């Protein structure tokens, strides 16, 4: 069923604009990540420097989104799905902005690495970046489609990226232990991997917010098992309060049981 | 925990005691059916708001609750309305007694213009043929409950129509409370008032819920969101959704509710 | 376009001014008879007014002096008794017509009241004569009051009906929601709210009835002396004016003018009081 439009066209337009700007921010982050990896593999510091400046556009968009969200809150008193969308937008915008900053950091490390011959072919890092990009792309697609299932699936993939990071770190560690002269390059590469891992975390946050926006179910801070169960479309939405009460109760219970 | 009208589900009662309950309530104006099988609890000492577009039956619904609907020529009802578990339509029940237990405040403030403020407050008793033991004390107590005492304590002999709109509405509320009802029905009480007066009345509703059960019909969704504990959404004579107000306004279950409260009127 | 509008505007202003002038002239013309009556009566009647006019009984022809004390009292008695009978019944009927306006009885009642209001007063007099006077074998104040009451009834009833209908339904609803029964609503809310207007209406009915002569001729008849009881015929200003004017005696003519002045004065005072009553409480 195609979503019904607001009777107030200006309101509909404002919401659409926020949506578009969020997507643009996401696209820019994707672009940054892709370009940064290309700059790394092709050893193209010029490209890396150019890519840096995309962050400026992302920051500008962040300000615009915040501003527009504030206006909508003040003037439209949104409720239900609109309210969840606006609160989601306000949160997601910080994630995207952080991703941009991380992209900047990656570019800086790339430029540093390009001044030295590569330690080894940058395979894992590039794969890891690609996985993170995939996650972000999926999250944005799920956001556009309003598809909570797709968004939920992304949350699982974060562990894969974490695994990537662990593997890269272990490998770089051996390089560093082998030869102190490797440390400079190894730490730079490890930093890049760390940044990518955090980009993936932010993409996960985005996905969780998409689920909240669509289903009204807040799946943040819920363990993996519960997450899988809670995200399945069940009977009419249960109040969120139940979950937090349950987890608080569990917390209190475990505290009591511990001597 | 939402209830729908057809088929009447085994609805989970909300926490708290049910003061009144509509059970498969239908209402007609002649041949035209205004309400279709409404099943809805009204929880004691809580505010239940009824929202919906024009003509959805919300005013008709609350008029059934105090048996004012049947006063209209050609009007009839079917189904049950229970007050403390007993039907208000039973043969041995006098509608006049129902109206003393279930009071009503109307959209346009309607104090009796030919009576003074004091007489207005006591009008309910006099109209029922009851002489209050201590009229002045009763009037003061009820005017205090209605947050109007300070405004009118020196003007008790002014005619009812001399007060401002917001004061008149609070006078009508005081008049209703003087009969010590158990349930107070409010049919768009703030529609004809300015924002300041509306805010005072909403504050009053918040305080009154401790002593009374309140049902408020409103076409302002923001007011329903501010004021109510439970919200019911009516559309074209049917109960579409009923739930805690928090839930209705953050994540309603029915797409029709969603569309209405977000302003997608089609 | 603009010039057309301007031209039309000035044309309309002219027409408006002409219409205003015409209505002022009409009002002036309408006032002429009233002023004529007042002036003429005052001029002719003032001369014959004296203390004895108000205190003494009529004297036989030929003797000078004499007054209309019994007629004045008789008029007041007749009108008072008629009001006592006519006003409560009229108000009750009017309330019924208003509150149960859709019932058949109310519709029949309203139609009947309108018809009765149009029945010539002399016919009312004849009927009361046939029904009351003949049965009782005597003319009486009671019969006269009954005839006047019958004349008052439709006026009071219709006025009450109209005014009760101006009471907004929101007040009735409010009273209903407070748990009032219908008759209590009718009395405590409708009557109370409409009462200034109803009072004024009653005064006007009384004022009108003050002027009815024809029915009195057949019912209260006349009395050269005081009437001892309600069952006696009574004198009245209306009948006295008629009798004295038809007579050939000059001093009786003069007294008739004086009586007319007194009667007109009563009517004017009643009207003024009615207006004051109508305006009074609302000015609060």
């Amino acid at each position: 069923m195609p979503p019904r439009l607001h009777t107030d066209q200006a309101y509909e337009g404002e919401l659409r604009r926020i949506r578009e700007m969020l997507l643009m921010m996401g696209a820019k982050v994707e672009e940054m990540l892709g370009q940064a990896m290309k700059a790394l593999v092709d050893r193209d510091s010029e490209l890396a420097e150019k890519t840096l400046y995309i962050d400026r556009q992302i920051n500008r968009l962040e300000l615009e989104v915040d501003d527009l969200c504030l206006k909508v809150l003040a003037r439209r008193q949104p409720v239900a799905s609109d309210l969840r969308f606006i609160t989601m937008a306000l949160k997601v915008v910080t994630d995207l902005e952080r991703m941009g900053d991380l992209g900047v950091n990656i570019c800086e490390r790339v430029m540093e690495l390009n001044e030295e011959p590569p330690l080894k072919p940058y395979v894992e890092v590039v794969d890891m970046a690609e996985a993170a990009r995939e996650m972000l792309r999926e999250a944005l697609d799920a956001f556009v489609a309003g598809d909570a299932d797709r968004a939920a699936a992304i949350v699982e993939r974060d562990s894969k990226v974490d695994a990537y990071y662990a593997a890269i770190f272990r490998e770089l560690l051996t390089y560093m232990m082998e030869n102190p002269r490797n440390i400079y390059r190894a730490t730079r590469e490890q930093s890049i991997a760390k940044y990518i891992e955090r980009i993936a975390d932010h993409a996960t946050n985005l996905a969780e917010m998409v689920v909240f926006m669509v289903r009204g179910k807040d799946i943040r801070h819920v363990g993996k098992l519960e997450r899988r169960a809670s995200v399945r479309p069940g009977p009419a939405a249960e109040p969120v309060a139940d979950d937090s009460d349950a987890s608080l109760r569990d917390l209190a219970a475990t505290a009591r049981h511990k001597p | 925990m939402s209830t729908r009208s057809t088929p009447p589900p085994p609805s989970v009662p909300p926490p708290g005691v049910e003061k009144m309950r509509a059970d498969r309530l239908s209402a007609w104006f002649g041949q035209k059916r205004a309400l279709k099988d409404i099943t809805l609890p009204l929880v004691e000492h809580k505010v239940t708001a009824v929202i919906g577009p024009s003509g959805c039956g919300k005013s008709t619904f609350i008029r059934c609750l105090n048996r004012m609907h049947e006063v209209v020529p050609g009007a009839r009802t079917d189904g049950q309305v229970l007050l403390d578990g007993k039907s208000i339509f039973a043969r041995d029940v006098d509608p006049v007694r129902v109206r003393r237990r279930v009071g009503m405040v109307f959209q346009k403030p309607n104090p009796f213009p030919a009576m003074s403020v004091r007489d207005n407050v006591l009008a309910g008793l006099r109209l029922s043929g009851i002489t209050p033991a201590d009229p002045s004390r009763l009037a003061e107590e009820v005017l205090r409950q209605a947050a109007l005492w300070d405004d009118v304590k020196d003007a008790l002999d002014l005619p009812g129509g001399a007060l401002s709109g917001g004061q008149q509405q609070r006078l009508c509320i005081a008049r209703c409370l003087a009969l010590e009802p158990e349930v107070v029905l409010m049919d768009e009480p703030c529609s004809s008032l300015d924002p300041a007066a509306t805010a005072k009345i909403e504050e009053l509703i918040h305080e009154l819920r401790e002593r009374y059960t309140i049902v408020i019909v409103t076409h302002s969704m923001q007011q329903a969101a501010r004021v109510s504990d439970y919200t019911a959404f009516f559309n074209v004579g049917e109960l579409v959704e009923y739930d805690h107000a928090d839930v209705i306004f953050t994540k309603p279950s029915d797409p029709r509710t969603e569309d209405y409260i977000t302003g997608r009127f089609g | 376009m603009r010039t057309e509008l301007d031209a039309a505007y000035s044309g309309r202003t002219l027409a408006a001014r002409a219409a205003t002038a015409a209505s002022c002239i009409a009002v002036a013309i309408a006032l002429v008879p009233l002023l004529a009556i007042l002036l003429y009566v005052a001029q002719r009647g003032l001369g014959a007014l004296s203390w004895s006019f108000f205190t003494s009984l009529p004297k036989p022809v030929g003797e000078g002096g004499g007054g209309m004390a019994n007629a004045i009292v008789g008029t007041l008695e007749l009108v008072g008794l008629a009001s006592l009978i006519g006003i409560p019944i009229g108000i009750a009927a009017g309330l019924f017509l208003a509150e149960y306006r859709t019932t058949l009885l109310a519709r029949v009642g309203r139609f009947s009241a309108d018809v009765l209001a149009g029945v010539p007063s002399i016919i009312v007099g004849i009927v009361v004569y046939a029904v009351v006077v003949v049965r009782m074998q005597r003319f009486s104040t009671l019969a006269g009051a009954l005839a006047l009451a019958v004349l008052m009834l439709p006026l009071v009833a219709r006025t009450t009906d109209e005014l009760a209908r101006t009471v907004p339904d929101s007040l009735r609803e409010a009273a209903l929601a407070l748990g009032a029964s219908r008759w209590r609503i009718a009395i405590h809310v409708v009557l109370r709210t409409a009462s200034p207007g109803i009072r004024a209406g009653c005064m006007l009915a009384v004022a009108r009835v003050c002027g009815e002569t024809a029915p009195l001729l057949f019912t209260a008849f006349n009395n050269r002396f005081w009437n001892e009881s309600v069952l006696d015929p009574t004198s009245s200003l209306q009948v006295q004016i008629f009798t004295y004017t038809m007579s050939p005696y000059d001093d009786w003519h003069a007294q008739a003018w004086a009586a007319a002045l007194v009667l007109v004065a009563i009517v004017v005072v009643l009207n003024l009081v009615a207006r004051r009553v109508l305006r009074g409480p609302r000015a609060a």
Side-chain angles (χ1 to χ4, degrees):
Chain A
M1 189 187 83
R4 300 248 306 262
L5 295 178
H6 287 86
T7 302
D8 187 339
Q9 304 228 9
Y11 186 21
E12 190 68 41
E14 284 159 15
L15 294 176
R16 196 173 41 238
R17 176 114 190 86
I18 295 174
R19 198 174 298 130
E20 282 166 4
M21 288 196 286
L22 288 177
L23 288 174
M24 228 187 303
M25 283 176 87
K28 297 254 170 257
V29 169
E30 268 187 75
E31 195 189 328
M32 277 187 91
L33 201 45
Q35 304 279 61
M37 287 301 107
K38 190 160 188 296
L40 180 64
V41 164
D42 295 348
R43 300 178 61 72
D44 186 351
S45 286
E46 245 186 74
L47 179 60
E49 185 150 2
K50 272 210 318 243
T51 311
L52 263 180
Y53 292 110
I54 298 179
D55 184 51
R56 285 219 196 123
Q57 298 170 11
I58 294 179
N59 290 344
R60 258 206 309 276
L61 282 169
E62 184 204 10
L63 294 176
E64 260 197 72
V65 169
D66 274 343
D67 193 57
L68 195 47
C69 284
L70 201 62
K71 284 209 180 82
V72 168
L73 279 175
R75 294 176 56 211
R76 305 289 179 185
Q77 289 103 43
V79 285
S81 58
D82 293 339
L83 180 62
R84 300 199 300 273
F85 170 69
I86 297 289
T87 46
M88 182 218 75
L90 285 171
K91 286 178 176 296
V92 151
V93 99
T94 47
D95 283 303
L96 288 168
E97 194 271 329
R98 287 298 299 140
M99 287 196 230
D101 289 345
L102 290 166
V104 167
N105 294 343
I106 294 177
C107 289
E108 287 169 350
R109 300 292 92 73
V110 163
M111 293 198 294
E112 285 166 10
L113 278 177
N114 285 346
E115 287 162 13
E116 313 245 338
L119 248 187
K120 59 174 195 55
Y122 299 118
V123 176
E124 298 83 2
V125 154
V126 171
D127 284 345
M128 190 186 173
E130 195 49 42
R133 270 183 86 193
E134 263 301 306
M135 284 174 72
L136 177 57
R137 196 175 308 127
E138 268 294 291
L140 293 170
D141 286 346
F143 167 60
V144 167
D147 189 341
D149 292 323
R150 267 171 93 173
I154 295 164
V155 172
E156 312 293 303
R157 286 147 70 164
D158 189 39
S159 42
K160 266 183 49 195
V161 172
D162 291 345
Y164 262 117
Y165 176 70
I168 293 174
F169 187 57
R170 272 198 304 272
E171 201 190 344
L172 290 173
L173 212 48
T174 55
Y175 272 93
M176 284 194 273
M177 288 193 298
E178 225 172 84
N179 186 349
R181 267 201 279 273
N182 291 341
I183 290 178
Y184 181 80
R185 284 168 290 167
T187 48
R188 294 294 172 285
E189 195 176 333
Q190 182 257 330
S191 290
I192 293 179
K194 188 75 198 156
Y195 297 143
I196 297 174
E197 192 260 328
R198 284 174 44 197
I199 287 181
D201 283 343
H202 284 298
T204 310
N205 287 348
L206 222 167
E208 285 169 348
M209 293 312 296
V210 172
V211 171
F212 169 70
M213 181 189 84
V214 174
R215 290 254 173 73
K217 190 130 188 64
D218 203 340
I219 61 171
R220 293 175 300 163
H221 316 309
V222 176
K224 283 232 171 62
L225 286 171
E226 290 108 308
R227 197 181 278 152
R228 226 185 247 131
S230 70
V231 149
R232 250 177 238 126
E238 296 143 39
V240 174
D242 284 354
D243 280 335
S244 57
D245 284 349
S247 55
L248 277 176
R249 262 184 266 129
D250 290 346
L251 214 53
T254 47
R256 256 180 275 126
H257 287 307
K258 280 207 177 87
Chain B
M1 197 213 65
S2 7
T3 53
R4 298 213 171 51
S5 57
T6 35
S11 54
V12 178
V17 173
E18 266 180 25
K19 183 66 183 173
M20 288 187 82
R21 183 186 183 80
D23 218 338
R24 303 208 69 138
L25 176 68
S26 295
W28 284 263
F29 286 104
Q31 297 289 55
K32 183 168 174 299
R33 191 170 191 179
L35 290 177
K36 298 175 189 148
D37 290 331
I38 309 288
T39 300
L40 182 64
L42 297 166
V43 180
E44 194 174 26
H45 298 314
K46 295 280 183 219
V47 178
T48 304
V50 179
I51 60 173
S54 297
C56 67
K58 45 191 201 290
S59 284
T60 310
F61 174 67
I62 64 165
R63 271 155 199 265
C64 289
L65 295 181
N66 70 345
R67 293 190 67 169
M68 292 273 288
H69 173 74
E70 61 204 47
V71 167
V72 175
R76 66 183 178 94
T77 57
D78 194 29
Q80 274 310 330
V81 173
L82 305 174
L83 174 60
D84 285 338
K86 300 215 190 75
S87 166
I88 64 173
F89 293 122
R91 212 160 289 229
D92 60 340
V93 172
D94 183 6
V96 166
R97 297 197 70 83
V98 172
R99 292 181 201 132
R100 290 192 201 145
R101 295 178 67 190
V102 181
M104 189 173 227
V105 175
F106 297 87
Q107 181 171 343
K108 196 164 170 304
N110 49 16
F112 299 123
M115 298 189 200
S116 67
V117 168
R118 185 193 290 109
D119 286 342
N120 258 288
V121 172
L122 300 170
L125 295 157
R126 299 237 170 88
L127 281 169
S128 306
I130 304 170
T131 339
D134 189 349
S136 302
R137 196 190 51 80
L138 176 62
E140 179 180 340
E141 186 191 312
V142 151
L143 284 168
R144 276 189 198 281
Q145 271 192 56
L148 191 58
W149 175 249
D150 289 328
D151 286 17
V152 301
K153 59 178 183 255
D154 299 320
L156 289 174
D157 291 315
L158 278 186
L163 305 175
S164 75
Q167 290 171 329
Q168 282 187 18
Q169 191 64 299
R170 278 179 280 157
L171 178 59
C172 293
I173 293 175
R175 180 177 69 187
C176 170
L177 297 181
L179 284 166
E180 291 180 354
E182 295 156 48
V183 180
V184 178
L185 306 173
M186 297 191 172
D187 192 351
E188 302 197 27
C190 302
S191 299
S192 51
L193 304 179
D194 68 25
T198 301
K200 289 204 180 111
I201 302 250
E202 286 181 7
E203 177 64 28
L204 181 59
I205 292 175
H206 191 76
E207 290 165 8
L208 286 177
R209 94 182 67 198
E210 285 174 34
R211 293 176 66 152
Y212 310 94
T213 302
I214 304 201
V215 185
I216 176 170
V217 165
T218 178
H219 62 238
S220 161
M221 275 170 295
Q222 281 76 39
Q223 180 172 75
R226 284 192 295 267
V227 143
S228 66
D229 299 306
Y230 297 96
T231 303
F233 172 55
F234 277 50
N235 196 13
V236 197
E238 287 182 352
L239 171 64
V240 173
E241 193 172 344
Y242 166 78
D243 212 326
H244 288 280
D246 290 343
V247 174
I248 293 270
F249 289 103
T250 53
K251 37 190 195 276
S253 313
D254 196 301
R256 288 172 288 177
T257 317
E258 170 86 37
D259 283 344
Y260 180 71
I261 66 176
T262 53
R264 295 180 173 89
F265 304 123
Chain C
M1 175 72 164
R2 234 219 140 87
T3 44
E4 285 168 17
L5 280 178
D6 286 341
Y9 177 69
S10 49
R12 263 184 270 124
T13 321
L14 203 60
R17 289 217 195 101
T20 313
S23 13
C24 286
I25 294 173
V27 169
I29 295 178
L31 280 174
V32 165
L34 174 63
L35 290 171
I37 291 174
L38 289 175
L39 285 171
Y40 215 63
V41 166
Q43 184 194 30
R44 295 297 193 89
L46 272 172
L49 274 186
S50 64
W51 185 243
S52 66
F53 182 81
F54 288 102
T55 51
S56 51
L57 289 175
K59 297 244 172 56
V61 179
E63 285 180 40
M68 297 229 189
N70 62 341
I72 296 173
V73 169
T75 300
L76 293 173
E77 264 187 33
L78 283 166
V79 171
L81 197 54
S83 305
L84 221 58
I85 302 171
I87 289 181
I89 299 180
I91 292 182
L95 282 177
F96 175 84
L97 290 179
E99 296 305 302
Y100 291 89
R101 71 186 79 131
T102 50
T103 62
L104 183 61
L105 185 55
R107 281 186 295 197
V108 167
R110 199 170 296 125
F111 179 69
S112 315
D114 286 338
V115 169
L116 188 57
V119 166
S121 55
I122 194 163
I123 296 181
V124 173
I126 298 176
V127 169
V128 173
Y129 169 81
V131 170
V132 179
V133 175
V134 169
R135 289 277 166 74
M136 283 171 56
Q137 294 287 312
R138 60 200 298 163
F139 294 106
S140 61
T141 316
L142 186 61
L146 271 173
L148 292 183
V150 167
L151 288 171
M152 280 180 83
L153 199 57
L155 282 177
V156 173
R158 283 304 255 132
T159 313
T160 308
D161 178 22
E162 292 295 322
L163 284 164
R165 281 205 254 166
T166 62
V167 172
D169 270 340
S170 61
L171 295 182
R172 291 188 183 82
E173 264 200 333
L176 201 61
L178 289 168
S181 52
R182 265 187 112 161
W183 70 271
R184 273 198 218 270
I185 296 178
I187 296 184
H188 292 274
V189 175
V190 177
L191 189 56
R192 194 159 164 176
T193 309
S195 85
I198 292 178
R199 267 184 275 156
C202 291
M203 300 256 176
L204 290 171
V206 165
R208 191 205 134 177
V209 138
C210 275
E212 293 295 340
T213 313
L216 293 176
L217 292 173
F218 304 109
T219 51
F221 202 59
N222 204 343
N223 196 336
R224 298 197 66 75
F225 309 101
W226 297 105
N227 57 328
E228 306 291 307
S229 83
V230 162
L231 296 176
D232 284 341
T234 184
S235 177
S236 56
L237 284 171
Q238 298 96 307
V239 171
Q240 287 290 63
I241 295 172
F242 175 68
T243 316
Y244 277 29
T245 311
M246 300 296 263
S247 77
Y249 311 113
D250 279 340
D251 60 336
W252 274 18
H253 289 177
Q255 294 212 335
W257 279 114
L261 179 59
V262 171
L263 197 54
V264 165
I266 293 178
V267 169
V268 168
V269 164
L270 278 174
N271 270 285
L272 284 175
V273 171
R275 302 207 77 216
R276 185 70 220 294
V277 158
L278 199 51
R279 203 179 305 139
R282 219 169 285 170

